[in-house]
Amino acid sequence: MRVEEKQTTVDRETGSQTIGRSFEKVCEILDHHQRNPAMLIPILQAVQAEYRYLPKEALAYVATSLGLPPARVFGVATFYAHFALSPKGKYVIHVCDGTACHVKNSQGLVDAIRKRLGLSEDKHTTDDMLFTVETVSCVGACGLAPVAVINEAVHRQVSPQAGVAAIEKILESEEQA
Amino acid sequence: MTTTAKTPTEILADAEAAHRAVAGAVERRIIICAGTGCVAGGALAVRDAFAAKLDTLGLRVTIALEYESPAAADVYLSKSGCQGFCQMGPLVTIEPEGVLYTKVQAEDVAEIVQTTLMGGDVVERLLYVDPRKREHCRSKDDIPFYQRQERTALKECGSLDPEDIREYIALGGYHGARRALCEMTPEEICAEVLRSGLRGRGGGGFPTGRKWELTRVQPGHEKYVICNGDEGDPGAFMDRSLMEGNPHAVIEGMLIAARAVGARTGYVYVRMEYPLAVKRLRRAVDDAHRFGVLGADILGSGFDFELKIMEGAGAFVCGEETALIASVEGKRGMPMPKPPFPAQSGLRGKPTVINNVETLAAIPLILRTGAEAYRARGTANSPGTKTFALTGHVANTGLIEVPFGATLNEIVYEIGGGVTDNAGRITDRPFKAVQIGGPSGGCLVGEHADLPLDFDSLGSVGAMVGSGGLVVMNDTTCMVSVARFFMQFAQNESCGKCVLCREGTRQMLALLDEIIAGDADETTLTVLEQTAQAVKTGSLCGLGKTAPNPVLSTLHYFKEEYEAHVFDKRCPVGACKALTPPVILAEKCIGCGLCVRKCPVKAIAGEKKQPHVIDHQTCVKCGVCLDACKFGAIVQGVAV
């Protein structure tokens, strides 16, 4: 299942409490996959689609339900780049750093966006939980390089200026909301 | 559906007839490219604008052919898969005239409707202009980018509606499967594919027919077919385009493979970065089920085959077949030693065939037209065509398909339209390098311009077909930085199982960083080369075995560029900031003399109130002057 643009049911301040209440949803996901350990990856994908990340409690719950050692589940969750163990921002910006984007200055783009949001190579999410900025190795839209994907919407031929402008636009709409 | 009593031929003929009747009743078809690239450019808004505009004119519009209750329609607004010319998107084709409009935006729709649909004329400003001849191209056939290609696997991508199974059948689809299921034995299928000479398009180039035969002869009834759609090579997107543009070709290829080896279950493993491909494949699987070309007793042949879609979770190493199997089993995607090969012991320990998307998409054609027809294209050892993702500093970027044996000159200059400078203008200067095969491949340079590209010729010059990414680089590209880019990728994606891959790629990256930062000494290049050989030798899977290739290949062809970085502390193209001396922009410098006073080595001189200059022999690139200048007149990192 693909992560859909869905509002999280987790309240950021009281995260764990809310997760406790909605284990029901995890059960549904587990049942949907017949609690089959071979379906661990689709299960984690669905859990992440629900919470926008993989809460520790949910991982432990999934492990117990599937009869797997928690270490195995944690191992899978950390192995794959798609899984996030900490909450992501409302707007997830993936700057493509594939070869074609790289030779067309994707580094300048990611630097400019990070600078605007006060983020760095080590800090991916803004403190107000609005933005997460990550690089991805290739989104397969090389003809449009450099590419940035903001919550699944692919933006083409994004210059550093255009990238910052897109962020300003989001900030503006957030302020109005 | 009461199709059970019909023969397979009748079932397919009925679908074809249904399509012809419904499609034929529509006077006009407007094909809007709905690949990832064109959608990003606003293709869906263009489609909506067409629907709205045509509606105000009182025309009846449909966006999908209606088979259940055919309603009369005047215009069919059809979407297609990726047409490959992403850079010029959104692309709109008007049938039956065949006029192709490029870079169409919603605002252009009214004019297209007025001029072309009502007036029978073309909107010249939306036609593609051949930048060399400065001529307007009316249709696809007039555009050099398409003229020089031979599209077989990609042929239908870009014309058919990927969500319309009947159209696929009307174009000859599932006839290859019918032949395989109803007229051939599994041995005959394997033999036919072997005879076609088809080799794995995922990069390895292993003969597909042999792979199938190895799996077919394994004992046991539980076998699997897996389609490897984990296209992780940065700079390659042919598998995405195929899955998005012609998902039924992939499904039919898998069905034939399943019949050949005796598998009852198949998996399509798709990257999660390709949401549209996942959506179209799911739809195609549902349709195929409803149509009786998947599921139980397919086309009345008694053969059963179920197909499942699995999304990857972002790990390049899962493109390696044993790692992919581990991932399908719900484990970390770590490769296993071979043998045993997946053909002997694959998914859940059972014999498994794993083929790349492009390989499988070629299968229906081979079964439909025969091995000999397939062999007619390409070279003796690499028959058929290959799709390449042509990107980088080239005028026409996009997805292309050429027979094996085509040369770089043909690809870069005739199809690609020539090398561009950093501003995107076509230049007369030749390409510096063409990187082929992504992080596993190598560089091709000017001397290879006339080399016929195929599996064996590329191997002989230290490169590989890989998945088919072709990144053209102009002469402002720093090859050390390119090598570092791929090493960073390999280091990130190393799964960590083999020490030499995990630690060796880290060491190589650190060495390349030293070179770029100007901290390298005379031993650096030797150590880099030794480490590269060690990583090659000491790694289990293709990732580690090929990770040093970009470094070795650039070291081979651009040794003097590495040496300039190491010994002269100079980046010949001025790309590495730490090695590029700052320069003073004469038009901004007011000659205040502040930088002269701040410079610790007295490298700056100039008359008062006149632009100053930096003596690059003396400059130590400390950057003090950059911070000192209040007018932004000193810059670093530009070519001198």
Side-chain angles (χ1 to χ4, degrees):
Chain A
M1 193 181 298
R2 172 73 199 171
V3 181
E4 301 210 341
E5 184 38 41
K6 208 184 271 179
Q7 284 306 307
T8 173
T9 55
V10 185
D11 182 31
R12 304 280 177 216
E13 309 320 319
T14 58
S16 55
Q17 254 186 353
T18 329
I19 292 160
R21 260 188 278 134
S22 52
F23 266 155
E24 229 174 275
K25 188 70 203 174
V26 180
C27 287
E28 251 174 60
I29 293 167
L30 285 162
D31 289 340
H32 179 76
H33 293 284
Q34 296 90 39
R35 304 202 174 224
N36 178 357
M39 301 302 279
L40 178 59
I41 292 170
I43 289 170
L44 293 182
Q45 280 166 338
V47 172
Q48 178 156 310
E50 183 63 27
Y51 297 116
R52 297 175 64 85
Y53 77 112
L54 295 174
K56 228 182 195 156
E57 300 85 339
L59 285 182
Y61 192 88
V62 168
T64 315
S65 310
L66 298 179
L68 291 171
R72 161 93 190 276
V73 175
F74 188 73
V76 168
T78 49
F79 184 85
Y80 294 97
H82 170 58
F83 295 128
L85 297 179
S86 55
K88 289 195 182 190
K90 182 173 172 189
Y91 296 93
V92 179
I93 303 174
H94 282 151
V95 179
C96 180
D97 194 27
T99 324
C101 291
H102 188 81
V103 301
K104 292 203 169 167
N105 195 24
S106 59
Q107 193 57 47
L109 172 62
V110 74
D111 287 346
I113 292 178
R114 279 183 183 148
K115 195 170 163 199
R116 172 64 189 84
L117 295 172
L119 298 174
S120 69
E121 228 169 289
D122 306 309
K123 181 172 160 60
H124 293 163
T125 302
T126 54
D127 294 329
D128 59 6
M129 297 305 297
L130 209 49
F131 291 97
T132 296
V133 179
E134 289 166 345
T135 57
V136 289
S137 45
C138 186
V139 297
C142 312
L144 316 173
V147 173
V149 185
I150 305 180
N151 283 358
E152 303 217 341
V154 179
H155 295 249
R156 50 193 282 159
Q157 288 157 354
V158 191
S159 64
Q161 294 86 334
V164 172
I167 287 171
E168 300 292 357
K169 213 169 138 191
I170 294 173
L171 282 171
E172 222 168 83
S173 69
E174 279 295 317
E175 265 166 38
Q176 281 164 6
Chain B
M1 204 173 292
T2 52
T3 49
T4 38
K6 290 181 183 165
T7 67
T9 315
E10 282 167 357
I11 297 171
L12 296 178
D14 283 356
E16 185 176 340
H19 174 75
R20 292 206 189 286
V22 177
V26 186
E27 200 175 314
R28 268 180 191 284
R29 181 167 181 171
I30 301 176
I31 302 171
I32 297 162
C33 179
T36 296
C38 287
V39 169
L44 299 180
V46 170
R47 191 178 74 175
D48 294 345
F50 265 113
K53 179 71 190 169
L54 296 169
D55 192 53
T56 60
L57 294 172
L59 291 165
R60 291 161 301 178
V61 178
T62 178
I63 57 165
L65 292 179
E66 286 291 339
Y67 293 101
E68 307 307 330
S69 51
D74 303 304
V75 181
Y76 171 28
L77 275 181
S78 147
K79 61 183 172 306
S80 78
C82 180
Q83 305 189 12
F85 209 9
C86 309
Q87 172 200 18
M88 296 309 294
L91 303 172
V92 173
T93 311
I94 314 279
E95 299 286 359
E97 292 89 344
V99 179
L100 175 71
Y101 290 129
T102 57
K103 295 194 173 173
V104 179
Q105 292 300 312
E107 303 86 81
D108 303 322
V109 165
E111 192 180 347
I112 295 176
V113 171
Q114 201 62 42
T115 310
T116 310
L117 267 61
M118 315 300 279
D121 221 340
V122 293
V123 183
E124 209 161 79
R125 67 179 179 89
L126 293 173
L127 293 177
Y128 175 76
V129 181
D130 181 352
R132 290 189 170 247
K133 294 189 191 146
R134 311 231 158 261
E135 279 169 10
H136 288 83
C137 302
R138 201 168 177 277
S139 76
K140 246 185 201 178
D141 303 335
D142 304 327
I143 300 177
F145 176 76
Y146 286 111
Q147 268 175 350
R148 307 281 178 170
Q149 297 189 43
E150 269 191 49
R151 292 165 86 91
T152 57
L154 294 176
K155 190 170 169 223
E156 270 88 36
C157 285
S159 60
L160 71 71
D161 179 348
E163 296 184 2
D164 187 344
I165 187 172
R166 288 181 184 82
E167 181 167 14
Y168 177 70
I169 292 171
L171 291 165
Y174 288 109
H175 282 278
R178 179 191 56 76
R179 204 182 142 216
L181 262 58
C182 307
E183 295 169 11
M184 294 169 84
T185 64
E187 295 96 303
E188 285 168 351
I189 303 172
C190 291
E192 177 105 19
V193 173
L194 187 65
R195 224 176 21 252
S196 77
L198 178 69
R199 295 171 69 172
R201 299 295 195 245
F206 192 79
T208 306
R210 197 177 308 155
K211 205 179 214 179
W212 288 12
E213 180 66 17
L214 285 172
T215 315
R216 186 189 70 76
V217 297
Q218 296 297 319
H221 291 296
E222 196 184 339
K223 295 181 187 176
Y224 297 98
V225 174
I226 299 179
C227 167
N228 183 348
D230 192 50
E231 182 180 49
D233 271 27
F237 54 100
M238 55 284 295
D239 295 349
R240 171 182 72 73
S241 295
L242 274 168
M243 290 184 288
E244 280 177 17
N246 199 356
H248 284 289
V250 179
I251 294 174
E252 188 182 354
M254 289 186 75
L255 173 57
I256 295 167
R259 167 70 176 167
V261 303
R264 298 282 181 272
T265 310
Y267 292 88
V268 188
Y269 189 94
V270 195
R271 281 181 90 201
M272 48 80 50
E273 285 88 346
Y274 294 170
L276 190 59
V278 173
K279 188 181 148 230
R280 297 250 169 94
L281 276 167
R282 284 194 201 284
R283 165 80 194 255
V285 168
D286 287 349
D287 286 348
H289 260 283
R290 217 166 308 131
F291 232 82
V293 286
L294 277 183
D297 190 21
I298 294 170
L299 293 173
S301 65
F303 183 71
D304 309 337
F305 183 57
E306 286 295 338
L307 195 54
K308 294 176 180 143
I309 313 276
M310 275 232 28
E311 270 184 83
F316 173 67
V317 71
C318 288
E320 203 282 335
E321 49 189 17
T322 56
L324 189 149
I325 287 171
S327 184
V328 175
E329 289 172 348
K331 299 177 191 152
R332 287 199 274 173
M334 286 190 164
M336 299 287 286
K338 290 189 271 192
F341 292 94
Q344 302 156 313
S345 169
L347 186 63
R348 299 177 195 123
K350 304 296 177 194
T352 304
V353 154
I354 301 193
N355 285 133
N356 164 266
V357 172
E358 198 187 332
T359 315
L360 288 165
I363 297 289
L365 183 74
I366 294 171
L367 269 280
R368 201 158 66 221
T369 58
E372 281 65 34
Y374 189 79
R375 287 201 78 97
R377 289 196 178 87
T379 61
N381 292 324
S382 308
T385 56
K386 173 81 188 92
T387 54
F388 288 103
L390 183 63
T391 58
H393 296 127
V394 63
N396 304 327
T397 60
L399 198 62
I400 62 164
E401 182 171 352
V402 289
F404 274 115
T407 66
L408 270 190
N409 261 343
E410 287 163 20
I411 293 173
V412 175
Y413 294 101
E414 293 179 18
I415 297 173
V419 181
T420 58
D421 62 15
N422 291 342
R425 290 179 299 254
I426 296 177
T427 86
D428 290 332
R429 293 207 295 271
F431 61 83
K432 179 173 183 176
V434 176
Q435 213 281 342
I436 182 165
S440 318
C443 285
L444 298 172
V445 293
E447 65 183 83
H448 304 128
D450 290 313
L451 179 79
L453 303 183
D454 68 22
F455 285 109
D456 307 316
S457 70
L458 282 167
S460 69
V461 296
M464 66 187 285
V465 175
S467 58
L470 277 178
V471 185
V472 180
M473 299 175 191
N474 67 18
D475 51 11
T476 68
T477 314
C478 169
M479 300 316 288
V480 183
S481 302
V482 169
R484 188 205 171 274
F485 167 78
F486 285 116
M487 193 43 66
Q488 167 91 64
F489 179 82
Q491 197 268 313
N492 268 338
E493 298 294 342
S494 170
C495 79
K497 181 167 182 158
C498 305
V499 178
L500 278 160
C501 175
R502 184 182 69 227
E503 300 302 327
T505 53
R506 194 176 290 273
Q507 288 308 318
M508 289 178 73
L509 182 63
L511 290 167
L512 289 165
D513 276 335
E514 274 177 21
I515 296 173
I516 285 169
D519 297 332
D521 58 33
E522 59 275 14
T523 62
T524 308
L525 291 183
T526 322
V527 177
L528 183 64
E529 216 160 342
Q530 284 169 346
T531 319
Q533 294 301 347
V535 172
K536 252 178 132 68
T537 321
S539 302
L540 196 57
C541 82
L543 194 158
K545 278 193 212 300
T546 59
N549 283 356
V551 171
L552 291 171
S553 159
T554 47
L555 259 176
H556 181 76
Y557 293 112
F558 300 97
K559 185 101 185 199
E560 69 291 347
E561 206 165 314
Y562 276 88
E563 286 171 348
H565 282 76
V566 173
F567 300 111
D568 309 341
K569 308 292 173 203
R570 185 173 62 85
C571 174
V573 298
C576 299
K577 280 188 184 157
L579 298 181
T580 314
V583 285
I584 297 178
L585 303 172
E587 67 275 15
K588 283 195 178 170
C589 177
I590 62 152
C592 70
L594 186 59
C595 54
V596 179
R597 290 195 293 282
K598 295 264 183 180
C599 178
V601 292
K602 306 262 172 284
I604 310 178
E607 300 263 320
K608 219 169 172 66
K609 303 214 170 146
Q610 292 296 318
H612 288 20
V613 278
I614 300 172
D615 174 16
H616 292 151
Q617 296 298 321
T618 320
C619 173
V620 293
K621 304 156 199 116
C622 66
V624 165
C625 54
L626 279 107
D627 301 329
C629 182
K630 295 192 172 103
F631 305 96
I634 307 182
V635 290
Q636 193 172 16
V638 292
V640 273

PDB file of all heavy atoms in Angstrom, chain A residues 155-172:
ATOM      1  N   HIS A 155       7.777  18.250  -8.856  1.00  0.00           N
ATOM      2  CA  HIS A 155       8.075  19.577  -9.393  1.00  0.00           C
ATOM      3  C   HIS A 155       9.264  19.448 -10.324  1.00  0.00           C
ATOM      4  O   HIS A 155      10.263  18.834  -9.972  1.00  0.00           O
ATOM      5  CB  HIS A 155       8.385  20.573  -8.271  1.00  0.00           C
ATOM      6  CG  HIS A 155       7.202  20.830  -7.388  1.00  0.00           C
ATOM      7  ND1 HIS A 155       6.546  22.029  -7.355  1.00  0.00           N
ATOM      8  CD2 HIS A 155       6.536  20.020  -6.537  1.00  0.00           C
ATOM      9  CE1 HIS A 155       5.536  21.963  -6.498  1.00  0.00           C
ATOM     10  NE2 HIS A 155       5.514  20.751  -5.994  1.00  0.00           N
ATOM     11  N   ARG A 156       9.150  20.041 -11.535  1.00  0.00           N
ATOM     12  CA  ARG A 156      10.180  19.825 -12.543  1.00  0.00           C
ATOM     13  C   ARG A 156      11.127  21.015 -12.651  1.00  0.00           C
ATOM     14  O   ARG A 156      10.750  22.147 -12.382  1.00  0.00           O
ATOM     15  CB  ARG A 156       9.530  19.559 -13.885  1.00  0.00           C
ATOM     16  CG  ARG A 156       8.461  20.589 -14.248  1.00  0.00           C
ATOM     17  CD  ARG A 156       7.638  20.128 -15.407  1.00  0.00           C
ATOM     18  NE  ARG A 156       8.374  20.335 -16.632  1.00  0.00           N
ATOM     19  CZ  ARG A 156       8.118  19.694 -17.765  1.00  0.00           C
ATOM     20  NH1 ARG A 156       7.181  18.793 -17.814  1.00  0.00           N
ATOM     21  NH2 ARG A 156       8.790  19.943 -18.847  1.00  0.00           N
ATOM     22  N   GLN A 157      12.350  20.721 -13.075  1.00  0.00           N
ATOM     23  CA  GLN A 157      13.368  21.733 -13.340  1.00  0.00           C
ATOM     24  C   GLN A 157      13.381  22.826 -12.270  1.00  0.00           C
ATOM     25  O   GLN A 157      13.157  23.996 -12.535  1.00  0.00           O
ATOM     26  CB  GLN A 157      13.178  22.308 -14.741  1.00  0.00           C
ATOM     27  CG  GLN A 157      13.580  21.286 -15.788  1.00  0.00           C
ATOM     28  CD  GLN A 157      12.964  21.496 -17.151  1.00  0.00           C
ATOM     29  OE1 GLN A 157      12.116  22.348 -17.344  1.00  0.00           O
ATOM     30  NE2 GLN A 157      13.380  20.685 -18.108  1.00  0.00           N
ATOM     31  N   VAL A 158      13.611  22.386 -11.040  1.00  0.00           N
ATOM     32  CA  VAL A 158      13.552  23.296  -9.906  1.00  0.00           C
ATOM     33  C   VAL A 158      14.925  23.921  -9.663  1.00  0.00           C
ATOM     34  O   VAL A 158      15.863  23.225  -9.279  1.00  0.00           O
ATOM     35  CB  VAL A 158      13.107  22.539  -8.629  1.00  0.00           C
ATOM     36  CG1 VAL A 158      12.779  23.526  -7.531  1.00  0.00           C
ATOM     37  CG2 VAL A 158      11.918  21.650  -8.909  1.00  0.00           C
ATOM     38  N   SER A 159      15.025  25.204  -9.870  1.00  0.00           N
ATOM     39  CA  SER A 159      16.265  25.913  -9.541  1.00  0.00           C
ATOM     40  C   SER A 159      16.259  26.181  -8.038  1.00  0.00           C
ATOM     41  O   SER A 159      15.213  26.098  -7.406  1.00  0.00           O
ATOM     42  CB  SER A 159      16.321  27.229 -10.308  1.00  0.00           C
ATOM     43  OG  SER A 159      15.260  28.049  -9.873  1.00  0.00           O
ATOM     44  N   PRO A 160      17.421  26.498  -7.451  1.00  0.00           N
ATOM     45  CA  PRO A 160      17.419  26.812  -6.018  1.00  0.00           C
ATOM     46  C   PRO A 160      16.400  27.911  -5.686  1.00  0.00           C
ATOM     47  O   PRO A 160      15.681  27.810  -4.681  1.00  0.00           O
ATOM     48  CB  PRO A 160      18.850  27.280  -5.769  1.00  0.00           C
ATOM     49  CG  PRO A 160      19.671  26.573  -6.791  1.00  0.00           C
ATOM     50  CD  PRO A 160      18.794  26.473  -8.000  1.00  0.00           C
ATOM     51  N   GLN A 161      16.301  28.915  -6.521  1.00  0.00           N
ATOM     52  CA  GLN A 161      15.346  30.006  -6.287  1.00  0.00           C
ATOM     53  C   GLN A 161      13.918  29.479  -6.321  1.00  0.00           C
ATOM     54  O   GLN A 161      13.099  29.818  -5.473  1.00  0.00           O
ATOM     55  CB  GLN A 161      15.487  31.105  -7.346  1.00  0.00           C
ATOM     56  CG  GLN A 161      16.802  31.869  -7.311  1.00  0.00           C
ATOM     57  CD  GLN A 161      17.892  31.161  -8.120  1.00  0.00           C
ATOM     58  OE1 GLN A 161      17.855  29.944  -8.303  1.00  0.00           O
ATOM     59  NE2 GLN A 161      18.876  31.912  -8.575  1.00  0.00           N
ATOM     60  N   ALA A 162      13.609  28.624  -7.329  1.00  0.00           N
ATOM     61  CA  ALA A 162      12.253  28.089  -7.453  1.00  0.00           C
ATOM     62  C   ALA A 162      11.912  27.211  -6.246  1.00  0.00           C
ATOM     63  O   ALA A 162      10.770  27.209  -5.775  1.00  0.00           O
ATOM     64  CB  ALA A 162      12.123  27.294  -8.743  1.00  0.00           C
ATOM     65  N   GLY A 163      12.909  26.486  -5.746  1.00  0.00           N
ATOM     66  CA  GLY A 163      12.674  25.627  -4.587  1.00  0.00           C
ATOM     67  C   GLY A 163      12.290  26.451  -3.376  1.00  0.00           C
ATOM     68  O   GLY A 163      11.337  26.142  -2.658  1.00  0.00           O
ATOM     69  N   VAL A 164      13.046  27.529  -3.155  1.00  0.00           N
ATOM     70  CA  VAL A 164      12.756  28.401  -2.014  1.00  0.00           C
ATOM     71  C   VAL A 164      11.396  29.070  -2.210  1.00  0.00           C
ATOM     72  O   VAL A 164      10.596  29.177  -1.260  1.00  0.00           O
ATOM     73  CB  VAL A 164      13.884  29.434  -1.823  1.00  0.00           C
ATOM     74  CG1 VAL A 164      13.506  30.458  -0.767  1.00  0.00           C
ATOM     75  CG2 VAL A 164      15.180  28.735  -1.437  1.00  0.00           C
ATOM     76  N   ALA A 165      11.101  29.439  -3.454  1.00  0.00           N
ATOM     77  CA  ALA A 165       9.808  30.078  -3.722  1.00  0.00           C
ATOM     78  C   ALA A 165       8.658  29.126  -3.385  1.00  0.00           C
ATOM     79  O   ALA A 165       7.628  29.547  -2.826  1.00  0.00           O
ATOM     80  CB  ALA A 165       9.734  30.513  -5.183  1.00  0.00           C
ATOM     81  N   ALA A 166       8.835  27.850  -3.711  1.00  0.00           N
ATOM     82  CA  ALA A 166       7.781  26.871  -3.410  1.00  0.00           C
ATOM     83  C   ALA A 166       7.549  26.781  -1.909  1.00  0.00           C
ATOM     84  O   ALA A 166       6.408  26.637  -1.446  1.00  0.00           O
ATOM     85  CB  ALA A 166       8.166  25.512  -3.984  1.00  0.00           C
ATOM     86  N   ILE A 167       8.636  26.876  -1.146  1.00  0.00           N
ATOM     87  CA  ILE A 167       8.513  26.816   0.310  1.00  0.00           C
ATOM     88  C   ILE A 167       7.806  28.055   0.843  1.00  0.00           C
ATOM     89  O   ILE A 167       6.921  27.963   1.707  1.00  0.00           O
ATOM     90  CB  ILE A 167       9.903  26.647   0.944  1.00  0.00           C
ATOM     91  CG1 ILE A 167      10.360  25.216   0.689  1.00  0.00           C
ATOM     92  CG2 ILE A 167       9.880  26.935   2.436  1.00  0.00           C
ATOM     93  CD1 ILE A 167      11.770  24.961   1.050  1.00  0.00           C
ATOM     94  N   GLU A 168       8.184  29.207   0.299  1.00  0.00           N
ATOM     95  CA  GLU A 168       7.517  30.451   0.721  1.00  0.00           C
ATOM     96  C   GLU A 168       6.010  30.345   0.492  1.00  0.00           C
ATOM     97  O   GLU A 168       5.205  30.774   1.315  1.00  0.00           O
ATOM     98  CB  GLU A 168       8.066  31.651  -0.065  1.00  0.00           C
ATOM     99  CG  GLU A 168       9.558  31.899   0.086  1.00  0.00           C
ATOM    100  CD  GLU A 168       9.966  32.363   1.480  1.00  0.00           C
ATOM    101  OE1 GLU A 168       9.087  32.547   2.335  1.00  0.00           O
ATOM    102  OE2 GLU A 168      11.190  32.503   1.720  1.00  0.00           O
ATOM    103  N   LYS A 169       5.651  29.746  -0.639  1.00  0.00           N
ATOM    104  CA  LYS A 169       4.239  29.627  -0.987  1.00  0.00           C
ATOM    105  C   LYS A 169       3.510  28.754   0.050  1.00  0.00           C
ATOM    106  O   LYS A 169       2.409  29.088   0.491  1.00  0.00           O
ATOM    107  CB  LYS A 169       4.117  29.003  -2.380  1.00  0.00           C
ATOM    108  CG  LYS A 169       2.933  29.520  -3.160  1.00  0.00           C
ATOM    109  CD  LYS A 169       3.037  29.056  -4.593  1.00  0.00           C
ATOM    110  CE  LYS A 169       1.685  28.607  -5.115  1.00  0.00           C
ATOM    111  NZ  LYS A 169       1.778  27.909  -6.394  1.00  0.00           N
ATOM    112  N   ILE A 170       4.154  27.655   0.436  1.00  0.00           N
ATOM    113  CA  ILE A 170       3.538  26.777   1.428  1.00  0.00           C
ATOM    114  C   ILE A 170       3.411  27.517   2.756  1.00  0.00           C
ATOM    115  O   ILE A 170       2.366  27.476   3.413  1.00  0.00           O
ATOM    116  CB  ILE A 170       4.380  25.491   1.618  1.00  0.00           C
ATOM    117  CG1 ILE A 170       4.365  24.668   0.336  1.00  0.00           C
ATOM    118  CG2 ILE A 170       3.862  24.677   2.793  1.00  0.00           C
ATOM    119  CD1 ILE A 170       5.296  23.478   0.349  1.00  0.00           C
ATOM    120  N   LEU A 171       4.478  28.237   3.139  1.00  0.00           N
ATOM    121  CA  LEU A 171       4.455  28.969   4.411  1.00  0.00           C
ATOM    122  C   LEU A 171       3.314  29.979   4.413  1.00  0.00           C
ATOM    123  O   LEU A 171       2.602  30.131   5.411  1.00  0.00           O
ATOM    124  CB  LEU A 171       5.795  29.677   4.616  1.00  0.00           C
ATOM    125  CG  LEU A 171       6.941  28.771   5.081  1.00  0.00           C
ATOM    126  CD1 LEU A 171       8.260  29.518   5.033  1.00  0.00           C
ATOM    127  CD2 LEU A 171       6.673  28.240   6.487  1.00  0.00           C
ATOM    128  N   GLU A 172       3.144  30.626   3.268  1.00  0.00           N
ATOM    129  CA  GLU A 172       2.088  31.624   3.156  1.00  0.00           C
ATOM    130  C   GLU A 172       0.722  30.980   3.368  1.00  0.00           C
ATOM    131  O   GLU A 172      -0.096  31.457   4.136  1.00  0.00           O
ATOM    132  CB  GLU A 172       2.146  32.236   1.757  1.00  0.00           C
ATOM    133  CG  GLU A 172       1.958  33.733   1.725  1.00  0.00           C
ATOM    134  CD  GLU A 172       2.322  34.256   0.343  1.00  0.00           C
ATOM    135  OE1 GLU A 172       1.447  34.192  -0.527  1.00  0.00           O
ATOM    136  OE2 GLU A 172       3.492  34.681   0.153  1.00  0.00           O
TER     137      GLU A 172
END
